[in-house]
Amino acid sequence: MILALLIRASISAGIVAAAAVAAQRLGPLWGGLLAALPVSAGPAYAMLGMSHSTAFVGQAATNGLGANAATAVFLFILIHAVPRLGMLPALGLASLGWMGLTVAVLAWAPGFWPATGLNVLCYGLAILGTRGAVGGVAAMARPARWWELPLRSIVLGLLVASLVSFSSTLGPVWTGAGAVYPVGLTTLTLVAVPRLGRAGAAALLAGALRGMPGFVLFVMVVAMGAEALGVAGALALGVAATLGWGGVVLALRRRPAPARIPPDRHSRR
């Protein structure tokens, strides 16, 4: 357990650091796509597969799919609230929004396809509502202190390890919700605001919002494929789906706008 915790903390630290650096050097969309990778849910499902049946993992992922729709609300609130309220008040407000919608969804207990439709609706509206937020990221506001990233990554690893340890008590419903809680995005916000400033952090989070449909695909694949493919196979296919979504987003972003042909002034009407 200790070794697994250290491995997860190291992976999380690398992803968070890479997202912050990519946001500064390549733009918030690149950083956001990195931040949307399943750095906490992936290890959580892998460890659940070591101690539970594939049916338990699949059921947890199905419940997590429904709860994951609340992450769209979480990011939407953060993107708009961080520049206005600051880091900690915005995180508190976004966490309340996530918990409120998650409790409602778990009480509804949707199946796989209703949960998928809810994700499409929530992420579609959130992306439309943050169209102006993805812009350039300003220069780093201040260098990160050497202890900030390791400390936050250790906290992330501890939360994931705690989820796996208490999964038998929580059951597949709350274990599934806990697996998709936006711990990584919370950690990213804590790292990004001091480094990039409020506006830069909001732009990075807007990039993450556009990468999150790839995470939705990841959870969908795990939910559908855990029993048929095994947990390891489902995780591998889910990661491939996430990376594929990132490639689509980047391809659409880089596609040049169609040239406008000026009207012929000498043409006859």
Side-chain angles (χ1 to χ4, degrees), residues 207-228:
L209 176 60
R210 281 141 183 83
M212 280 301 294
F215 183 81
V216 175
L217 291 175
F218 169 80
V219 182
M220 289 175 63
V221 170
V222 175
M224 289 189 298
E227 292 191 69

PDB file of all heavy atoms in Angstrom, residues 207-228:
ATOM      1  N   GLY A 207      -9.147  24.938 -20.376  1.00  0.00           N
ATOM      2  CA  GLY A 207      -8.560  23.909 -21.232  1.00  0.00           C
ATOM      3  C   GLY A 207      -8.839  22.517 -20.698  1.00  0.00           C
ATOM      4  O   GLY A 207      -9.118  21.583 -21.461  1.00  0.00           O
ATOM      5  N   ALA A 208      -8.769  22.359 -19.369  1.00  0.00           N
ATOM      6  CA  ALA A 208      -9.080  21.067 -18.767  1.00  0.00           C
ATOM      7  C   ALA A 208     -10.530  20.675 -19.018  1.00  0.00           C
ATOM      8  O   ALA A 208     -10.836  19.493 -19.242  1.00  0.00           O
ATOM      9  CB  ALA A 208      -8.793  21.113 -17.271  1.00  0.00           C
ATOM     10  N   LEU A 209     -11.424  21.646 -18.985  1.00  0.00           N
ATOM     11  CA  LEU A 209     -12.840  21.365 -19.243  1.00  0.00           C
ATOM     12  C   LEU A 209     -13.016  20.788 -20.639  1.00  0.00           C
ATOM     13  O   LEU A 209     -13.813  19.860 -20.844  1.00  0.00           O
ATOM     14  CB  LEU A 209     -13.657  22.647 -19.086  1.00  0.00           C
ATOM     15  CG  LEU A 209     -15.146  22.570 -19.406  1.00  0.00           C
ATOM     16  CD1 LEU A 209     -15.842  21.558 -18.504  1.00  0.00           C
ATOM     17  CD2 LEU A 209     -15.801  23.945 -19.258  1.00  0.00           C
ATOM     18  N   ARG A 210     -12.273  21.287 -21.604  1.00  0.00           N
ATOM     19  CA  ARG A 210     -12.380  20.779 -22.967  1.00  0.00           C
ATOM     20  C   ARG A 210     -11.713  19.419 -23.125  1.00  0.00           C
ATOM     21  O   ARG A 210     -12.005  18.707 -24.085  1.00  0.00           O
ATOM     22  CB  ARG A 210     -11.779  21.806 -23.925  1.00  0.00           C
ATOM     23  CG  ARG A 210     -12.749  22.953 -24.194  1.00  0.00           C
ATOM     24  CD  ARG A 210     -12.104  24.302 -24.279  1.00  0.00           C
ATOM     25  NE  ARG A 210     -13.155  25.308 -24.460  1.00  0.00           N
ATOM     26  CZ  ARG A 210     -13.868  25.840 -23.455  1.00  0.00           C
ATOM     27  NH1 ARG A 210     -13.644  25.467 -22.205  1.00  0.00           N
ATOM     28  NH2 ARG A 210     -14.805  26.738 -23.689  1.00  0.00           N
ATOM     29  N   GLY A 211     -10.842  19.063 -22.203  1.00  0.00           N
ATOM     30  CA  GLY A 211     -10.268  17.729 -22.231  1.00  0.00           C
ATOM     31  C   GLY A 211     -11.080  16.699 -21.478  1.00  0.00           C
ATOM     32  O   GLY A 211     -10.889  15.492 -21.678  1.00  0.00           O
ATOM     33  N   MET A 212     -12.014  17.136 -20.623  1.00  0.00           N
ATOM     34  CA  MET A 212     -12.749  16.215 -19.766  1.00  0.00           C
ATOM     35  C   MET A 212     -13.665  15.239 -20.507  1.00  0.00           C
ATOM     36  O   MET A 212     -13.907  14.136 -20.000  1.00  0.00           O
ATOM     37  CB  MET A 212     -13.554  16.999 -18.730  1.00  0.00           C
ATOM     38  CG  MET A 212     -12.723  17.478 -17.547  1.00  0.00           C
ATOM     39  SD  MET A 212     -11.922  16.137 -16.641  1.00  0.00           S
ATOM     40  CE  MET A 212     -13.366  15.283 -15.975  1.00  0.00           C
ATOM     41  N   PRO A 213     -14.210  15.556 -21.691  1.00  0.00           N
ATOM     42  CA  PRO A 213     -14.942  14.504 -22.408  1.00  0.00           C
ATOM     43  C   PRO A 213     -14.093  13.265 -22.662  1.00  0.00           C
ATOM     44  O   PRO A 213     -14.627  12.156 -22.735  1.00  0.00           O
ATOM     45  CB  PRO A 213     -15.343  15.198 -23.722  1.00  0.00           C
ATOM     46  CG  PRO A 213     -15.518  16.625 -23.324  1.00  0.00           C
ATOM     47  CD  PRO A 213     -14.429  16.879 -22.317  1.00  0.00           C
ATOM     48  N   GLY A 214     -12.777  13.429 -22.769  1.00  0.00           N
ATOM     49  CA  GLY A 214     -11.910  12.261 -22.876  1.00  0.00           C
ATOM     50  C   GLY A 214     -11.925  11.434 -21.608  1.00  0.00           C
ATOM     51  O   GLY A 214     -11.871  10.197 -21.662  1.00  0.00           O
ATOM     52  N   PHE A 215     -12.010  12.093 -20.459  1.00  0.00           N
ATOM     53  CA  PHE A 215     -12.124  11.375 -19.197  1.00  0.00           C
ATOM     54  C   PHE A 215     -13.477  10.658 -19.115  1.00  0.00           C
ATOM     55  O   PHE A 215     -13.566   9.544 -18.582  1.00  0.00           O
ATOM     56  CB  PHE A 215     -11.977  12.344 -18.021  1.00  0.00           C
ATOM     57  CG  PHE A 215     -12.017  11.676 -16.680  1.00  0.00           C
ATOM     58  CD1 PHE A 215     -10.895  11.064 -16.160  1.00  0.00           C
ATOM     59  CD2 PHE A 215     -13.191  11.658 -15.936  1.00  0.00           C
ATOM     60  CE1 PHE A 215     -10.932  10.439 -14.918  1.00  0.00           C
ATOM     61  CE2 PHE A 215     -13.244  11.041 -14.694  1.00  0.00           C
ATOM     62  CZ  PHE A 215     -12.107  10.429 -14.188  1.00  0.00           C
ATOM     63  N   VAL A 216     -14.516  11.284 -19.647  1.00  0.00           N
ATOM     64  CA  VAL A 216     -15.832  10.628 -19.698  1.00  0.00           C
ATOM     65  C   VAL A 216     -15.729   9.333 -20.500  1.00  0.00           C
ATOM     66  O   VAL A 216     -16.262   8.290 -20.096  1.00  0.00           O
ATOM     67  CB  VAL A 216     -16.883  11.571 -20.309  1.00  0.00           C
ATOM     68  CG1 VAL A 216     -18.216  10.850 -20.480  1.00  0.00           C
ATOM     69  CG2 VAL A 216     -17.071  12.804 -19.439  1.00  0.00           C
ATOM     70  N   LEU A 217     -15.039   9.392 -21.640  1.00  0.00           N
ATOM     71  CA  LEU A 217     -14.841   8.178 -22.439  1.00  0.00           C
ATOM     72  C   LEU A 217     -14.094   7.114 -21.647  1.00  0.00           C
ATOM     73  O   LEU A 217     -14.411   5.920 -21.735  1.00  0.00           O
ATOM     74  CB  LEU A 217     -14.075   8.522 -23.717  1.00  0.00           C
ATOM     75  CG  LEU A 217     -14.806   9.369 -24.753  1.00  0.00           C
ATOM     76  CD1 LEU A 217     -13.866   9.721 -25.892  1.00  0.00           C
ATOM     77  CD2 LEU A 217     -16.041   8.637 -25.281  1.00  0.00           C
ATOM     78  N   PHE A 218     -13.100   7.538 -20.869  1.00  0.00           N
ATOM     79  CA  PHE A 218     -12.336   6.599 -20.045  1.00  0.00           C
ATOM     80  C   PHE A 218     -13.250   5.859 -19.072  1.00  0.00           C
ATOM     81  O   PHE A 218     -13.212   4.628 -18.979  1.00  0.00           O
ATOM     82  CB  PHE A 218     -11.252   7.366 -19.280  1.00  0.00           C
ATOM     83  CG  PHE A 218     -10.579   6.561 -18.206  1.00  0.00           C
ATOM     84  CD1 PHE A 218      -9.577   5.664 -18.523  1.00  0.00           C
ATOM     85  CD2 PHE A 218     -10.952   6.697 -16.873  1.00  0.00           C
ATOM     86  CE1 PHE A 218      -8.950   4.909 -17.531  1.00  0.00           C
ATOM     87  CE2 PHE A 218     -10.334   5.954 -15.880  1.00  0.00           C
ATOM     88  CZ  PHE A 218      -9.332   5.055 -16.210  1.00  0.00           C
ATOM     89  N   VAL A 219     -14.097   6.598 -18.351  1.00  0.00           N
ATOM     90  CA  VAL A 219     -14.986   5.968 -17.375  1.00  0.00           C
ATOM     91  C   VAL A 219     -16.010   5.087 -18.083  1.00  0.00           C
ATOM     92  O   VAL A 219     -16.349   3.999 -17.593  1.00  0.00           O
ATOM     93  CB  VAL A 219     -15.671   7.041 -16.506  1.00  0.00           C
ATOM     94  CG1 VAL A 219     -16.561   6.386 -15.457  1.00  0.00           C
ATOM     95  CG2 VAL A 219     -14.641   7.930 -15.815  1.00  0.00           C
ATOM     96  N   MET A 220     -16.510   5.523 -19.229  1.00  0.00           N
ATOM     97  CA  MET A 220     -17.453   4.702 -19.989  1.00  0.00           C
ATOM     98  C   MET A 220     -16.835   3.368 -20.377  1.00  0.00           C
ATOM     99  O   MET A 220     -17.471   2.309 -20.251  1.00  0.00           O
ATOM    100  CB  MET A 220     -17.901   5.458 -21.253  1.00  0.00           C
ATOM    101  CG  MET A 220     -18.818   6.639 -21.001  1.00  0.00           C
ATOM    102  SD  MET A 220     -19.167   7.561 -22.533  1.00  0.00           S
ATOM    103  CE  MET A 220     -20.029   6.288 -23.483  1.00  0.00           C
ATOM    104  N   VAL A 221     -15.591   3.393 -20.860  1.00  0.00           N
ATOM    105  CA  VAL A 221     -14.933   2.160 -21.284  1.00  0.00           C
ATOM    106  C   VAL A 221     -14.724   1.228 -20.093  1.00  0.00           C
ATOM    107  O   VAL A 221     -14.942   0.013 -20.193  1.00  0.00           O
ATOM    108  CB  VAL A 221     -13.590   2.489 -21.968  1.00  0.00           C
ATOM    109  CG1 VAL A 221     -12.788   1.212 -22.201  1.00  0.00           C
ATOM    110  CG2 VAL A 221     -13.839   3.192 -23.293  1.00  0.00           C
ATOM    111  N   VAL A 222     -14.310   1.783 -18.951  1.00  0.00           N
ATOM    112  CA  VAL A 222     -14.115   0.946 -17.768  1.00  0.00           C
ATOM    113  C   VAL A 222     -15.446   0.333 -17.325  1.00  0.00           C
ATOM    114  O   VAL A 222     -15.517  -0.843 -16.959  1.00  0.00           O
ATOM    115  CB  VAL A 222     -13.467   1.758 -16.629  1.00  0.00           C
ATOM    116  CG1 VAL A 222     -13.380   0.926 -15.353  1.00  0.00           C
ATOM    117  CG2 VAL A 222     -12.076   2.217 -17.036  1.00  0.00           C
ATOM    118  N   ALA A 223     -16.510   1.151 -17.347  1.00  0.00           N
ATOM    119  CA  ALA A 223     -17.821   0.649 -16.929  1.00  0.00           C
ATOM    120  C   ALA A 223     -18.308  -0.477 -17.834  1.00  0.00           C
ATOM    121  O   ALA A 223     -18.846  -1.489 -17.366  1.00  0.00           O
ATOM    122  CB  ALA A 223     -18.836   1.792 -16.916  1.00  0.00           C
ATOM    123  N   MET A 224     -18.103  -0.322 -19.147  1.00  0.00           N
ATOM    124  CA  MET A 224     -18.584  -1.335 -20.090  1.00  0.00           C
ATOM    125  C   MET A 224     -17.646  -2.533 -20.194  1.00  0.00           C
ATOM    126  O   MET A 224     -18.087  -3.656 -20.419  1.00  0.00           O
ATOM    127  CB  MET A 224     -18.751  -0.713 -21.482  1.00  0.00           C
ATOM    128  CG  MET A 224     -19.910   0.241 -21.614  1.00  0.00           C
ATOM    129  SD  MET A 224     -20.205   0.721 -23.351  1.00  0.00           S
ATOM    130  CE  MET A 224     -18.656   1.527 -23.747  1.00  0.00           C
ATOM    131  N   GLY A 225     -16.340  -2.298 -20.045  1.00  0.00           N
ATOM    132  CA  GLY A 225     -15.380  -3.337 -20.374  1.00  0.00           C
ATOM    133  C   GLY A 225     -14.724  -4.046 -19.220  1.00  0.00           C
ATOM    134  O   GLY A 225     -13.940  -4.978 -19.444  1.00  0.00           O
ATOM    135  N   ALA A 226     -15.002  -3.646 -17.971  1.00  0.00           N
ATOM    136  CA  ALA A 226     -14.305  -4.260 -16.838  1.00  0.00           C
ATOM    137  C   ALA A 226     -14.541  -5.765 -16.781  1.00  0.00           C
ATOM    138  O   ALA A 226     -13.594  -6.544 -16.582  1.00  0.00           O
ATOM    139  CB  ALA A 226     -14.743  -3.598 -15.533  1.00  0.00           C
ATOM    140  N   GLU A 227     -15.787  -6.187 -16.963  1.00  0.00           N
ATOM    141  CA  GLU A 227     -16.089  -7.621 -16.897  1.00  0.00           C
ATOM    142  C   GLU A 227     -15.677  -8.350 -18.167  1.00  0.00           C
ATOM    143  O   GLU A 227     -15.174  -9.469 -18.120  1.00  0.00           O
ATOM    144  CB  GLU A 227     -17.574  -7.822 -16.627  1.00  0.00           C
ATOM    145  CG  GLU A 227     -18.028  -7.382 -15.241  1.00  0.00           C
ATOM    146  CD  GLU A 227     -19.443  -7.843 -14.926  1.00  0.00           C
ATOM    147  OE1 GLU A 227     -19.642  -9.057 -14.755  1.00  0.00           O
ATOM    148  OE2 GLU A 227     -20.338  -6.974 -14.843  1.00  0.00           O
ATOM    149  N   ALA A 228     -15.886  -7.698 -19.318  1.00  0.00           N
ATOM    150  CA  ALA A 228     -15.597  -8.376 -20.580  1.00  0.00           C
ATOM    151  C   ALA A 228     -14.102  -8.458 -20.870  1.00  0.00           C
ATOM    152  O   ALA A 228     -13.616  -9.475 -21.380  1.00  0.00           O
ATOM    153  CB  ALA A 228     -16.309  -7.650 -21.721  1.00  0.00           C
TER     154      ALA A 228
END
